[in-house]
Amino acid sequence: MRTADRRFAALLMLPAGLFLAIFIGWPLLQFVGDSFFTISPIAGGPRQFVGFANYVTAFTSSDFGNAAWRTIVYTVIVVTFEFVLGLLVALLFTSLGNSSRVFRTIFLYPLMIAPIVAGLLWRFLLIDNFGIVNELLKSVGLIQSSDQIQWLSDPNIALFSVAIPDIWLTTSFITLVLFAGLQNIPGDVIEAARLDGARYTTILFRIVIPLLRPVIAVALIVRGIDAARAFDVIVIQTNGGPQQSTETLSLLIYRTMVRFGDPGLASAMGTVYLIAMLAVALVAILTIWRPGSESER
């Protein structure tokens, strides 16, 4: 009976497996294969096998190294702010119980906005001279003039500025995931800790967060990978400027492919990018989730 069930399950998964193999697996193999060639940007143009030359060019390129560093900084900024804010809001919603239903619905609205729309919106909010954010800061006396803080023009703060729309958009996703995880924490465990005299901070860091490890791992991995490949939000706001201060790996690969017409080098950069994200995801699973640790208790 078990063999029949397994065959039936395999038949049910077969269409999805074929879809993934045809539309994801095969293009991915082609993408990795292109990284070993010098390819003409013209369709049907010549291809020349160059081995690891594209990878050597990528690793010795200062643009690639700088873009990789900016991608790491951008991802850390986005994920850190989203996790902290998302956890605080999820805890607040949990404490409010059913009274938070309306607030949960309103809080999820930004998640329904397209990233390109959010980028355009925040570009007008943060733009120099007449941006609404600077006008509000001026009206409350925090700055002296409307162009005192050049959110999108100052290379020193531009990377943080382009991260604001991403934080605004997807903090609600982290909140939703963590809120769902909080609903599965046994109430009797928390109540027993309270009866023992444990403070709220002790309950949070010794009970709640450890029990949320699998949920936190999933949330951080999904959002980390998504933030690391940010493209449209940044393009709309700064297009990688000023002075390449917001040019992440996604933008660099796009420009290498489209503007500079080097598909082979772009494929090599993308392959390194993919391997790095898989490695980070694996590390996150082993350090945060730690599969099997629950069974050891």
Side-chain angles (χ1 to χ4, degrees), residues 132-168:
I132 298 176
V133 172
N134 277 352
E135 290 293 337
L136 291 175
L137 294 177
K138 180 183 176 183
S139 65
V140 298
L142 293 179
I143 59 177
Q144 302 299 322
S145 61
S146 300
D147 60 349
Q148 183 173 341
I149 303 178
Q150 299 179 345
W151 296 99
L152 301 177
S153 302
D154 186 352
N156 296 318
I157 63 172
L159 190 62
F160 173 77
S161 300
V162 297
I164 294 176
D166 205 345
I167 297 171
W168 176 70

PDB file of all heavy atoms in Angstrom, residues 132-168:
ATOM      1  N   ILE A 132       8.675  65.648  -0.268  1.00  0.00           N
ATOM      2  CA  ILE A 132       7.754  65.793   0.859  1.00  0.00           C
ATOM      3  C   ILE A 132       8.447  65.491   2.185  1.00  0.00           C
ATOM      4  O   ILE A 132       8.177  66.143   3.206  1.00  0.00           O
ATOM      5  CB  ILE A 132       6.534  64.872   0.661  1.00  0.00           C
ATOM      6  CG1 ILE A 132       5.767  65.282  -0.599  1.00  0.00           C
ATOM      7  CG2 ILE A 132       5.621  64.910   1.874  1.00  0.00           C
ATOM      8  CD1 ILE A 132       4.602  64.379  -0.918  1.00  0.00           C
ATOM      9  N   VAL A 133       9.352  64.514   2.197  1.00  0.00           N
ATOM     10  CA  VAL A 133      10.034  64.157   3.446  1.00  0.00           C
ATOM     11  C   VAL A 133      10.841  65.334   3.977  1.00  0.00           C
ATOM     12  O   VAL A 133      10.767  65.682   5.165  1.00  0.00           O
ATOM     13  CB  VAL A 133      10.941  62.929   3.224  1.00  0.00           C
ATOM     14  CG1 VAL A 133      11.799  62.666   4.459  1.00  0.00           C
ATOM     15  CG2 VAL A 133      10.105  61.696   2.901  1.00  0.00           C
ATOM     16  N   ASN A 134      11.627  65.967   3.113  1.00  0.00           N
ATOM     17  CA  ASN A 134      12.408  67.125   3.550  1.00  0.00           C
ATOM     18  C   ASN A 134      11.518  68.298   3.953  1.00  0.00           C
ATOM     19  O   ASN A 134      11.839  69.049   4.887  1.00  0.00           O
ATOM     20  CB  ASN A 134      13.364  67.560   2.436  1.00  0.00           C
ATOM     21  CG  ASN A 134      14.643  66.736   2.442  1.00  0.00           C
ATOM     22  OD1 ASN A 134      14.893  65.956   3.349  1.00  0.00           O
ATOM     23  ND2 ASN A 134      15.455  66.905   1.414  1.00  0.00           N
ATOM     24  N   GLU A 135      10.411  68.478   3.256  1.00  0.00           N
ATOM     25  CA  GLU A 135       9.492  69.556   3.619  1.00  0.00           C
ATOM     26  C   GLU A 135       8.901  69.318   5.005  1.00  0.00           C
ATOM     27  O   GLU A 135       8.751  70.251   5.797  1.00  0.00           O
ATOM     28  CB  GLU A 135       8.374  69.661   2.577  1.00  0.00           C
ATOM     29  CG  GLU A 135       8.821  70.190   1.226  1.00  0.00           C
ATOM     30  CD  GLU A 135       9.263  71.649   1.285  1.00  0.00           C
ATOM     31  OE1 GLU A 135       8.832  72.352   2.219  1.00  0.00           O
ATOM     32  OE2 GLU A 135      10.030  72.064   0.407  1.00  0.00           O
ATOM     33  N   LEU A 136       8.567  68.059   5.317  1.00  0.00           N
ATOM     34  CA  LEU A 136       8.052  67.740   6.650  1.00  0.00           C
ATOM     35  C   LEU A 136       9.110  67.940   7.723  1.00  0.00           C
ATOM     36  O   LEU A 136       8.825  68.474   8.800  1.00  0.00           O
ATOM     37  CB  LEU A 136       7.533  66.300   6.672  1.00  0.00           C
ATOM     38  CG  LEU A 136       6.270  66.011   5.862  1.00  0.00           C
ATOM     39  CD1 LEU A 136       5.951  64.515   5.888  1.00  0.00           C
ATOM     40  CD2 LEU A 136       5.087  66.803   6.402  1.00  0.00           C
ATOM     41  N   LEU A 137      10.344  67.520   7.441  1.00  0.00           N
ATOM     42  CA  LEU A 137      11.429  67.709   8.402  1.00  0.00           C
ATOM     43  C   LEU A 137      11.708  69.190   8.634  1.00  0.00           C
ATOM     44  O   LEU A 137      12.008  69.618   9.757  1.00  0.00           O
ATOM     45  CB  LEU A 137      12.698  67.005   7.908  1.00  0.00           C
ATOM     46  CG  LEU A 137      12.643  65.475   7.835  1.00  0.00           C
ATOM     47  CD1 LEU A 137      13.934  64.919   7.255  1.00  0.00           C
ATOM     48  CD2 LEU A 137      12.399  64.877   9.216  1.00  0.00           C
ATOM     49  N   LYS A 138      11.580  69.981   7.570  1.00  0.00           N
ATOM     50  CA  LYS A 138      11.778  71.428   7.701  1.00  0.00           C
ATOM     51  C   LYS A 138      10.656  72.065   8.514  1.00  0.00           C
ATOM     52  O   LYS A 138      10.887  72.961   9.338  1.00  0.00           O
ATOM     53  CB  LYS A 138      11.867  72.062   6.311  1.00  0.00           C
ATOM     54  CG  LYS A 138      12.069  73.571   6.327  1.00  0.00           C
ATOM     55  CD  LYS A 138      12.075  74.143   4.922  1.00  0.00           C
ATOM     56  CE  LYS A 138      12.184  75.663   4.956  1.00  0.00           C
ATOM     57  NZ  LYS A 138      12.126  76.245   3.584  1.00  0.00           N
ATOM     58  N   SER A 139       9.429  71.595   8.302  1.00  0.00           N
ATOM     59  CA  SER A 139       8.285  72.186   8.997  1.00  0.00           C
ATOM     60  C   SER A 139       8.322  71.944  10.498  1.00  0.00           C
ATOM     61  O   SER A 139       7.800  72.749  11.276  1.00  0.00           O
ATOM     62  CB  SER A 139       6.977  71.638   8.412  1.00  0.00           C
ATOM     63  OG  SER A 139       6.863  70.241   8.657  1.00  0.00           O
ATOM     64  N   VAL A 140       8.950  70.843  10.926  1.00  0.00           N
ATOM     65  CA  VAL A 140       9.050  70.562  12.366  1.00  0.00           C
ATOM     66  C   VAL A 140      10.366  71.054  12.951  1.00  0.00           C
ATOM     67  O   VAL A 140      10.644  70.831  14.138  1.00  0.00           O
ATOM     68  CB  VAL A 140       8.879  69.051  12.640  1.00  0.00           C
ATOM     69  CG1 VAL A 140       7.513  68.581  12.208  1.00  0.00           C
ATOM     70  CG2 VAL A 140       9.966  68.231  11.954  1.00  0.00           C
ATOM     71  N   GLY A 141      11.201  71.698  12.121  1.00  0.00           N
ATOM     72  CA  GLY A 141      12.422  72.312  12.598  1.00  0.00           C
ATOM     73  C   GLY A 141      13.635  71.416  12.708  1.00  0.00           C
ATOM     74  O   GLY A 141      14.636  71.803  13.308  1.00  0.00           O
ATOM     75  N   LEU A 142      13.586  70.209  12.116  1.00  0.00           N
ATOM     76  CA  LEU A 142      14.728  69.297  12.204  1.00  0.00           C
ATOM     77  C   LEU A 142      15.820  69.660  11.201  1.00  0.00           C
ATOM     78  O   LEU A 142      16.995  69.342  11.420  1.00  0.00           O
ATOM     79  CB  LEU A 142      14.265  67.855  11.975  1.00  0.00           C
ATOM     80  CG  LEU A 142      13.345  67.273  13.056  1.00  0.00           C
ATOM     81  CD1 LEU A 142      12.929  65.860  12.703  1.00  0.00           C
ATOM     82  CD2 LEU A 142      14.039  67.296  14.420  1.00  0.00           C
ATOM     83  N   ILE A 143      15.466  70.280  10.098  1.00  0.00           N
ATOM     84  CA  ILE A 143      16.451  70.751   9.126  1.00  0.00           C
ATOM     85  C   ILE A 143      16.130  72.203   8.791  1.00  0.00           C
ATOM     86  O   ILE A 143      15.014  72.682   8.995  1.00  0.00           O
ATOM     87  CB  ILE A 143      16.462  69.887   7.848  1.00  0.00           C
ATOM     88  CG1 ILE A 143      15.088  69.892   7.172  1.00  0.00           C
ATOM     89  CG2 ILE A 143      16.903  68.465   8.162  1.00  0.00           C
ATOM     90  CD1 ILE A 143      15.067  69.119   5.865  1.00  0.00           C
ATOM     91  N   GLN A 144      17.135  72.913   8.236  1.00  0.00           N
ATOM     92  CA  GLN A 144      16.983  74.336   7.962  1.00  0.00           C
ATOM     93  C   GLN A 144      16.436  74.640   6.579  1.00  0.00           C
ATOM     94  O   GLN A 144      15.725  75.618   6.376  1.00  0.00           O
ATOM     95  CB  GLN A 144      18.348  75.037   8.135  1.00  0.00           C
ATOM     96  CG  GLN A 144      18.944  74.870   9.518  1.00  0.00           C
ATOM     97  CD  GLN A 144      18.062  75.450  10.614  1.00  0.00           C
ATOM     98  OE1 GLN A 144      17.436  76.489  10.434  1.00  0.00           O
ATOM     99  NE2 GLN A 144      18.009  74.763  11.756  1.00  0.00           N
ATOM    100  N   SER A 145      16.789  73.765   5.593  1.00  0.00           N
ATOM    101  CA  SER A 145      16.345  74.001   4.217  1.00  0.00           C
ATOM    102  C   SER A 145      15.882  72.698   3.592  1.00  0.00           C
ATOM    103  O   SER A 145      16.231  71.602   4.059  1.00  0.00           O
ATOM    104  CB  SER A 145      17.472  74.610   3.373  1.00  0.00           C
ATOM    105  OG  SER A 145      18.578  73.726   3.311  1.00  0.00           O
ATOM    106  N   SER A 146      15.121  72.824   2.504  1.00  0.00           N
ATOM    107  CA  SER A 146      14.525  71.646   1.871  1.00  0.00           C
ATOM    108  C   SER A 146      15.551  70.756   1.186  1.00  0.00           C
ATOM    109  O   SER A 146      15.271  69.594   0.908  1.00  0.00           O
ATOM    110  CB  SER A 146      13.465  72.082   0.850  1.00  0.00           C
ATOM    111  OG  SER A 146      12.438  72.819   1.490  1.00  0.00           O
ATOM    112  N   ASP A 147      16.720  71.288   0.879  1.00  0.00           N
ATOM    113  CA  ASP A 147      17.749  70.495   0.207  1.00  0.00           C
ATOM    114  C   ASP A 147      18.924  70.163   1.128  1.00  0.00           C
ATOM    115  O   ASP A 147      19.989  69.796   0.667  1.00  0.00           O
ATOM    116  CB  ASP A 147      18.257  71.227  -1.033  1.00  0.00           C
ATOM    117  CG  ASP A 147      18.855  72.580  -0.689  1.00  0.00           C
ATOM    118  OD1 ASP A 147      18.680  73.022   0.456  1.00  0.00           O
ATOM    119  OD2 ASP A 147      19.488  73.187  -1.568  1.00  0.00           O
ATOM    120  N   GLN A 148      18.703  70.277   2.434  1.00  0.00           N
ATOM    121  CA  GLN A 148      19.791  70.005   3.370  1.00  0.00           C
ATOM    122  C   GLN A 148      20.186  68.532   3.359  1.00  0.00           C
ATOM    123  O   GLN A 148      21.370  68.193   3.424  1.00  0.00           O
ATOM    124  CB  GLN A 148      19.379  70.432   4.785  1.00  0.00           C
ATOM    125  CG  GLN A 148      20.474  70.255   5.823  1.00  0.00           C
ATOM    126  CD  GLN A 148      20.095  70.835   7.172  1.00  0.00           C
ATOM    127  OE1 GLN A 148      19.197  71.658   7.279  1.00  0.00           O
ATOM    128  NE2 GLN A 148      20.777  70.394   8.219  1.00  0.00           N
ATOM    129  N   ILE A 149      19.199  67.636   3.282  1.00  0.00           N
ATOM    130  CA  ILE A 149      19.476  66.198   3.190  1.00  0.00           C
ATOM    131  C   ILE A 149      19.189  65.759   1.754  1.00  0.00           C
ATOM    132  O   ILE A 149      18.037  65.761   1.322  1.00  0.00           O
ATOM    133  CB  ILE A 149      18.611  65.395   4.171  1.00  0.00           C
ATOM    134  CG1 ILE A 149      18.822  65.877   5.597  1.00  0.00           C
ATOM    135  CG2 ILE A 149      18.949  63.900   4.076  1.00  0.00           C
ATOM    136  CD1 ILE A 149      17.953  65.165   6.625  1.00  0.00           C
ATOM    137  N   GLN A 150      20.218  65.405   1.042  1.00  0.00           N
ATOM    138  CA  GLN A 150      20.080  64.979  -0.349  1.00  0.00           C
ATOM    139  C   GLN A 150      20.006  63.448  -0.380  1.00  0.00           C
ATOM    140  O   GLN A 150      20.995  62.768  -0.621  1.00  0.00           O
ATOM    141  CB  GLN A 150      21.240  65.506  -1.184  1.00  0.00           C
ATOM    142  CG  GLN A 150      21.320  67.029  -1.199  1.00  0.00           C
ATOM    143  CD  GLN A 150      22.490  67.554  -2.005  1.00  0.00           C
ATOM    144  OE1 GLN A 150      23.410  66.819  -2.339  1.00  0.00           O
ATOM    145  NE2 GLN A 150      22.472  68.848  -2.315  1.00  0.00           N
ATOM    146  N   TRP A 151      18.822  62.961  -0.143  1.00  0.00           N
ATOM    147  CA  TRP A 151      18.611  61.527   0.029  1.00  0.00           C
ATOM    148  C   TRP A 151      19.137  60.711  -1.144  1.00  0.00           C
ATOM    149  O   TRP A 151      19.813  59.700  -0.950  1.00  0.00           O
ATOM    150  CB  TRP A 151      17.125  61.250   0.220  1.00  0.00           C
ATOM    151  CG  TRP A 151      16.529  61.844   1.453  1.00  0.00           C
ATOM    152  CD1 TRP A 151      15.813  63.006   1.531  1.00  0.00           C
ATOM    153  CD2 TRP A 151      16.607  61.334   2.787  1.00  0.00           C
ATOM    154  NE1 TRP A 151      15.431  63.250   2.832  1.00  0.00           N
ATOM    155  CE2 TRP A 151      15.894  62.241   3.625  1.00  0.00           C
ATOM    156  CE3 TRP A 151      17.181  60.208   3.357  1.00  0.00           C
ATOM    157  CZ2 TRP A 151      15.760  62.046   4.988  1.00  0.00           C
ATOM    158  CZ3 TRP A 151      17.045  60.007   4.725  1.00  0.00           C
ATOM    159  CH2 TRP A 151      16.347  60.912   5.520  1.00  0.00           C
ATOM    160  N   LEU A 152      18.812  61.117  -2.347  1.00  0.00           N
ATOM    161  CA  LEU A 152      19.142  60.328  -3.530  1.00  0.00           C
ATOM    162  C   LEU A 152      20.327  60.879  -4.312  1.00  0.00           C
ATOM    163  O   LEU A 152      20.716  60.292  -5.330  1.00  0.00           O
ATOM    164  CB  LEU A 152      17.918  60.240  -4.461  1.00  0.00           C
ATOM    165  CG  LEU A 152      16.665  59.614  -3.853  1.00  0.00           C
ATOM    166  CD1 LEU A 152      15.518  59.651  -4.837  1.00  0.00           C
ATOM    167  CD2 LEU A 152      16.933  58.185  -3.400  1.00  0.00           C
ATOM    168  N   SER A 153      20.888  62.000  -3.854  1.00  0.00           N
ATOM    169  CA  SER A 153      22.013  62.624  -4.566  1.00  0.00           C
ATOM    170  C   SER A 153      23.329  62.518  -3.814  1.00  0.00           C
ATOM    171  O   SER A 153      24.388  62.740  -4.396  1.00  0.00           O
ATOM    172  CB  SER A 153      21.708  64.106  -4.847  1.00  0.00           C
ATOM    173  OG  SER A 153      20.531  64.249  -5.609  1.00  0.00           O
ATOM    174  N   ASP A 154      23.272  62.204  -2.546  1.00  0.00           N
ATOM    175  CA  ASP A 154      24.485  62.086  -1.735  1.00  0.00           C
ATOM    176  C   ASP A 154      24.961  60.629  -1.759  1.00  0.00           C
ATOM    177  O   ASP A 154      24.254  59.736  -1.272  1.00  0.00           O
ATOM    178  CB  ASP A 154      24.199  62.518  -0.298  1.00  0.00           C
ATOM    179  CG  ASP A 154      25.453  62.558   0.566  1.00  0.00           C
ATOM    180  OD1 ASP A 154      26.513  62.109   0.095  1.00  0.00           O
ATOM    181  OD2 ASP A 154      25.373  63.032   1.713  1.00  0.00           O
ATOM    182  N   PRO A 155      26.143  60.365  -2.328  1.00  0.00           N
ATOM    183  CA  PRO A 155      26.629  58.968  -2.398  1.00  0.00           C
ATOM    184  C   PRO A 155      26.768  58.296  -1.040  1.00  0.00           C
ATOM    185  O   PRO A 155      26.753  57.065  -0.950  1.00  0.00           O
ATOM    186  CB  PRO A 155      27.993  59.109  -3.093  1.00  0.00           C
ATOM    187  CG  PRO A 155      27.930  60.414  -3.815  1.00  0.00           C
ATOM    188  CD  PRO A 155      27.069  61.302  -2.970  1.00  0.00           C
ATOM    189  N   ASN A 156      26.898  59.090   0.017  1.00  0.00           N
ATOM    190  CA  ASN A 156      27.099  58.514   1.348  1.00  0.00           C
ATOM    191  C   ASN A 156      25.826  57.918   1.945  1.00  0.00           C
ATOM    192  O   ASN A 156      25.899  57.034   2.806  1.00  0.00           O
ATOM    193  CB  ASN A 156      27.659  59.578   2.299  1.00  0.00           C
ATOM    194  CG  ASN A 156      29.028  60.065   1.880  1.00  0.00           C
ATOM    195  OD1 ASN A 156      29.881  59.276   1.482  1.00  0.00           O
ATOM    196  ND2 ASN A 156      29.251  61.371   1.952  1.00  0.00           N
ATOM    197  N   ILE A 157      24.669  58.412   1.536  1.00  0.00           N
ATOM    198  CA  ILE A 157      23.413  57.925   2.111  1.00  0.00           C
ATOM    199  C   ILE A 157      22.450  57.380   1.059  1.00  0.00           C
ATOM    200  O   ILE A 157      21.361  56.924   1.402  1.00  0.00           O
ATOM    201  CB  ILE A 157      22.705  59.035   2.913  1.00  0.00           C
ATOM    202  CG1 ILE A 157      22.320  60.202   1.982  1.00  0.00           C
ATOM    203  CG2 ILE A 157      23.556  59.515   4.055  1.00  0.00           C
ATOM    204  CD1 ILE A 157      21.464  61.250   2.647  1.00  0.00           C
ATOM    205  N   ALA A 158      22.854  57.422  -0.209  1.00  0.00           N
ATOM    206  CA  ALA A 158      21.941  57.005  -1.281  1.00  0.00           C
ATOM    207  C   ALA A 158      21.552  55.534  -1.154  1.00  0.00           C
ATOM    208  O   ALA A 158      20.400  55.164  -1.408  1.00  0.00           O
ATOM    209  CB  ALA A 158      22.571  57.268  -2.645  1.00  0.00           C
ATOM    210  N   LEU A 159      22.496  54.681  -0.759  1.00  0.00           N
ATOM    211  CA  LEU A 159      22.185  53.254  -0.651  1.00  0.00           C
ATOM    212  C   LEU A 159      21.146  52.998   0.428  1.00  0.00           C
ATOM    213  O   LEU A 159      20.249  52.157   0.253  1.00  0.00           O
ATOM    214  CB  LEU A 159      23.464  52.461  -0.348  1.00  0.00           C
ATOM    215  CG  LEU A 159      23.348  50.939  -0.446  1.00  0.00           C
ATOM    216  CD1 LEU A 159      22.975  50.510  -1.859  1.00  0.00           C
ATOM    217  CD2 LEU A 159      24.653  50.262  -0.028  1.00  0.00           C
ATOM    218  N   PHE A 160      21.243  53.716   1.533  1.00  0.00           N
ATOM    219  CA  PHE A 160      20.221  53.597   2.574  1.00  0.00           C
ATOM    220  C   PHE A 160      18.886  54.148   2.090  1.00  0.00           C
ATOM    221  O   PHE A 160      17.830  53.592   2.396  1.00  0.00           O
ATOM    222  CB  PHE A 160      20.663  54.336   3.838  1.00  0.00           C
ATOM    223  CG  PHE A 160      19.608  54.403   4.897  1.00  0.00           C
ATOM    224  CD1 PHE A 160      19.329  53.305   5.689  1.00  0.00           C
ATOM    225  CD2 PHE A 160      18.868  55.570   5.089  1.00  0.00           C
ATOM    226  CE1 PHE A 160      18.339  53.355   6.662  1.00  0.00           C
ATOM    227  CE2 PHE A 160      17.882  55.631   6.053  1.00  0.00           C
ATOM    228  CZ  PHE A 160      17.617  54.529   6.839  1.00  0.00           C
ATOM    229  N   SER A 161      18.929  55.237   1.338  1.00  0.00           N
ATOM    230  CA  SER A 161      17.691  55.867   0.860  1.00  0.00           C
ATOM    231  C   SER A 161      16.917  54.943  -0.070  1.00  0.00           C
ATOM    232  O   SER A 161      15.689  54.851   0.024  1.00  0.00           O
ATOM    233  CB  SER A 161      18.018  57.183   0.148  1.00  0.00           C
ATOM    234  OG  SER A 161      18.673  58.089   1.018  1.00  0.00           O
ATOM    235  N   VAL A 162      17.623  54.255  -0.984  1.00  0.00           N
ATOM    236  CA  VAL A 162      16.914  53.371  -1.911  1.00  0.00           C
ATOM    237  C   VAL A 162      16.414  52.117  -1.210  1.00  0.00           C
ATOM    238  O   VAL A 162      15.582  51.380  -1.771  1.00  0.00           O
ATOM    239  CB  VAL A 162      17.809  52.981  -3.111  1.00  0.00           C
ATOM    240  CG1 VAL A 162      18.172  54.200  -3.927  1.00  0.00           C
ATOM    241  CG2 VAL A 162      19.065  52.245  -2.653  1.00  0.00           C
ATOM    242  N   ALA A 163      16.913  51.860   0.013  1.00  0.00           N
ATOM    243  CA  ALA A 163      16.433  50.705   0.774  1.00  0.00           C
ATOM    244  C   ALA A 163      15.113  51.004   1.485  1.00  0.00           C
ATOM    245  O   ALA A 163      14.389  50.071   1.848  1.00  0.00           O
ATOM    246  CB  ALA A 163      17.484  50.275   1.798  1.00  0.00           C
ATOM    247  N   ILE A 164      14.794  52.275   1.677  1.00  0.00           N
ATOM    248  CA  ILE A 164      13.576  52.641   2.407  1.00  0.00           C
ATOM    249  C   ILE A 164      12.316  52.084   1.748  1.00  0.00           C
ATOM    250  O   ILE A 164      11.455  51.520   2.437  1.00  0.00           O
ATOM    251  CB  ILE A 164      13.494  54.172   2.577  1.00  0.00           C
ATOM    252  CG1 ILE A 164      14.631  54.656   3.479  1.00  0.00           C
ATOM    253  CG2 ILE A 164      12.146  54.587   3.158  1.00  0.00           C
ATOM    254  CD1 ILE A 164      14.699  56.158   3.639  1.00  0.00           C
ATOM    255  N   PRO A 165      12.139  52.223   0.419  1.00  0.00           N
ATOM    256  CA  PRO A 165      10.931  51.639  -0.196  1.00  0.00           C
ATOM    257  C   PRO A 165      10.830  50.129  -0.016  1.00  0.00           C
ATOM    258  O   PRO A 165       9.726  49.597   0.179  1.00  0.00           O
ATOM    259  CB  PRO A 165      11.080  52.002  -1.685  1.00  0.00           C
ATOM    260  CG  PRO A 165      11.991  53.166  -1.703  1.00  0.00           C
ATOM    261  CD  PRO A 165      12.934  52.979  -0.568  1.00  0.00           C
ATOM    262  N   ASP A 166      11.976  49.445  -0.082  1.00  0.00           N
ATOM    263  CA  ASP A 166      11.966  47.991   0.105  1.00  0.00           C
ATOM    264  C   ASP A 166      11.534  47.643   1.520  1.00  0.00           C
ATOM    265  O   ASP A 166      10.749  46.701   1.737  1.00  0.00           O
ATOM    266  CB  ASP A 166      13.355  47.429  -0.189  1.00  0.00           C
ATOM    267  CG  ASP A 166      13.316  45.977  -0.620  1.00  0.00           C
ATOM    268  OD1 ASP A 166      12.273  45.331  -0.420  1.00  0.00           O
ATOM    269  OD2 ASP A 166      14.317  45.482  -1.171  1.00  0.00           O
ATOM    270  N   ILE A 167      12.034  48.388   2.501  1.00  0.00           N
ATOM    271  CA  ILE A 167      11.641  48.162   3.893  1.00  0.00           C
ATOM    272  C   ILE A 167      10.149  48.431   4.068  1.00  0.00           C
ATOM    273  O   ILE A 167       9.428  47.675   4.721  1.00  0.00           O
ATOM    274  CB  ILE A 167      12.475  49.053   4.829  1.00  0.00           C
ATOM    275  CG1 ILE A 167      13.956  48.671   4.737  1.00  0.00           C
ATOM    276  CG2 ILE A 167      11.985  48.935   6.273  1.00  0.00           C
ATOM    277  CD1 ILE A 167      14.884  49.637   5.452  1.00  0.00           C
ATOM    278  N   TRP A 168       9.682  49.524   3.496  1.00  0.00           N
ATOM    279  CA  TRP A 168       8.270  49.892   3.600  1.00  0.00           C
ATOM    280  C   TRP A 168       7.371  48.852   2.933  1.00  0.00           C
ATOM    281  O   TRP A 168       6.280  48.542   3.433  1.00  0.00           O
ATOM    282  CB  TRP A 168       8.068  51.259   2.949  1.00  0.00           C
ATOM    283  CG  TRP A 168       6.650  51.723   2.903  1.00  0.00           C
ATOM    284  CD1 TRP A 168       5.872  52.116   3.940  1.00  0.00           C
ATOM    285  CD2 TRP A 168       5.820  51.835   1.727  1.00  0.00           C
ATOM    286  NE1 TRP A 168       4.612  52.477   3.497  1.00  0.00           N
ATOM    287  CE2 TRP A 168       4.563  52.317   2.142  1.00  0.00           C
ATOM    288  CE3 TRP A 168       6.038  51.596   0.377  1.00  0.00           C
ATOM    289  CZ2 TRP A 168       3.521  52.542   1.249  1.00  0.00           C
ATOM    290  CZ3 TRP A 168       5.006  51.830  -0.516  1.00  0.00           C
ATOM    291  CH2 TRP A 168       3.763  52.298  -0.074  1.00  0.00           C
TER     292      TRP A 168
END
